């Protein structure tokens, strides 16, 4: 199916939020889509909630894994759509039309990655985060949030999350993956839409560490004066 979108949710012991995330997926007006849920073997009732939707989920499992990025790689391996989106447990789509708005806002044939704006949520406070149009800035820092994007499946399956660098980069493996796609010459295109609302208190809310990981990624493991000065 043309422009079918595979949405992947990874979760572990998040019974308080997983239903909202699942319902957000099913609320989407874009019909050409499939849902993949990878649970890391939850013991708090998360698995039971997922099972309620089993007949509408293309693939799901509940088993021990090597963490969030290992689970994402597993989900990617089951994707059959043209595009992949990661919708983390606890996050939701910004609007019921977010997938449709994004895939129709640009010519998808001109892109390998379509990225968008997003909304940061801290308690009841929501802040709109506008992604820059200038894709050359990807040489310096991540200009969009990974969840606020669609990545062509054929590309994503070539550029999985590098688990060998999990200790080295921790929660920045998604940026490492994006940077690898960018430096390999693939096409990035902004859609001026809002794809997701994410929890600002998540694992990557460590500013100094994020700067340091960004330096390590963009300098390719070597000393780079421009990258260091930017850091």
């Amino acid at each position: 199916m043309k422009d079918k979108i595979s949405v992947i949710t990874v979760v572990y012991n998040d019974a308080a939020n997983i239903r909202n995330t699942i319902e957000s997926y099913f609320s989407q007006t874009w019909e050409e889509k499939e849902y993949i849920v990878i649970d890391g073997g939850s013991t708090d009732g998360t698995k039971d909630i997922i099972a309620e939707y089993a007949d509408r989920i293309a693939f799901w499992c509940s088993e021990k894994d090597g963490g969030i990025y290992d689970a994402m790689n597993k989900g990617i391996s089951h994707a059959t759509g043209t595009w992949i989106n990661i919708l983390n447990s606890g996050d939701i789509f910004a609007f019921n039309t977010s997938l449709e708005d994004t895939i129709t806002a640009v010519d998808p044939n001109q892109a390998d990655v379509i990225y968008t704006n997003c909304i940061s949520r801290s308690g009841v406070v929501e802040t709109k985060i506008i992604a820059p149009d200038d894709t050359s800035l990807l040489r310096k820092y991540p200009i969009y949030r990974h969840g606020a994007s669609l990545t062509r499946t054929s590309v994503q399956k070539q550029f999985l999350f590098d688990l060998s660098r999990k200790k080295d980069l921790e929660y920045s493996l998604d940026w490492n993956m994006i940077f690898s796609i960018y430096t390999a010459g693939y096409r990035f295109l902004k859609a001026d839409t809002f794809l997701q609302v994410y929890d600002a208190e998540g694992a990557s809310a460590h500013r100094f560490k994020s700067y340091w990981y960004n330096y390590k990624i963009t300098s390719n493991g070597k000393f780079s004066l421009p990258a260091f000065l930017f850091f």
Side-chain angles (χ1 to χ4, degrees):
M1 290 180 285
K2 184 179 180 181
D3 292 322
K4 176 181 172 183
I5 301 172
S6 300
V7 177
I8 300 169
T9 293
V10 299
V11 60
Y12 178 67
N13 282 345
D14 195 23
N17 296 302
I18 186 61
R19 189 181 299 278
N20 284 342
T21 298
I22 293 174
E23 289 289 346
S24 180
Y25 165 81
F26 285 115
S27 76
Q28 289 301 293
T29 57
W30 186 249
E31 295 182 356
E32 304 294 344
K33 62 183 184 293
E34 68 175 2
Y35 199 30
I36 297 166
V37 182
I38 308 297
D39 175 46
S42 293
T43 57
D44 69 338
T46 295
K47 178 181 176 180
D48 296 329
I49 295 172
I50 299 168
E52 294 178 28
Y53 300 86
D55 61 337
R56 292 192 283 164
I57 297 176
F59 175 85
W60 77 281
C61 64
S62 181
E63 58 191 24
K64 193 170 184 179
D65 55 45
I68 185 171
Y69 294 108
D70 181 35
M72 287 181 184
N73 282 346
K74 188 184 299 182
I76 291 166
S77 72
H78 289 279
T80 65
T82 308
W83 301 92
I84 288 177
N85 171 259
I86 303 293
L87 180 70
N88 289 326
S89 180
D91 296 344
I92 59 174
F93 288 112
F95 307 102
N96 291 350
T97 58
S98 288
L99 286 178
E100 183 171 1
D101 292 343
T102 299
I103 201 66
T104 59
V106 296
D107 179 358
N109 294 319
Q110 301 300 314
D112 300 302
V113 178
I114 301 171
Y115 68 95
T116 76
N117 308 313
C118 61
I119 300 173
S120 169
R121 180 185 58 215
S122 180
V124 297
V125 178
E126 294 188 347
T127 304
K128 292 182 177 180
I129 310 296
I130 307 300
D133 295 319
D134 185 359
T135 58
S136 69
L137 293 173
L138 283 165
R139 290 201 172 275
K140 296 181 178 180
Y141 66 95
I143 63 176
Y144 65 92
R145 183 173 177 82
H146 179 219
S149 67
L150 304 176
T151 303
R152 193 172 292 278
T153 303
S154 58
V155 174
Q156 186 70 88
K157 290 191 175 188
Q158 292 180 59
F159 293 87
L160 297 174
F161 297 94
D162 185 356
L163 302 183
S164 70
R165 300 200 67 185
K166 187 165 64 171
K167 290 184 178 180
D168 180 32
L169 296 175
E170 295 185 88
Y171 56 78
S172 291
L173 284 186
D174 50 356
W175 168 224
N176 183 59
M177 178 271 297
I178 292 168
F179 187 73
S180 296
I181 293 175
Y182 176 74
T183 54
Y186 287 94
R187 303 165 299 171
F188 286 69
L189 183 64
K190 181 185 174 182
D192 194 18
T193 60
F194 288 87
L195 190 53
Q196 289 187 7
V197 179
Y198 73 94
D199 184 1
E201 306 304 319
S204 58
H206 304 283
R207 182 171 297 180
F208 184 80
K209 286 177 71 175
S210 295
Y211 288 154
W212 174 238
Y213 292 151
N214 182 62
Y215 168 71
K216 292 171 76 173
I217 291 167
T218 57
S219 63
N220 291 312
K222 302 175 182 178
F223 178 74
S224 166
L225 183 58
F228 183 77
L229 292 175
F230 185 77
F231 161 68

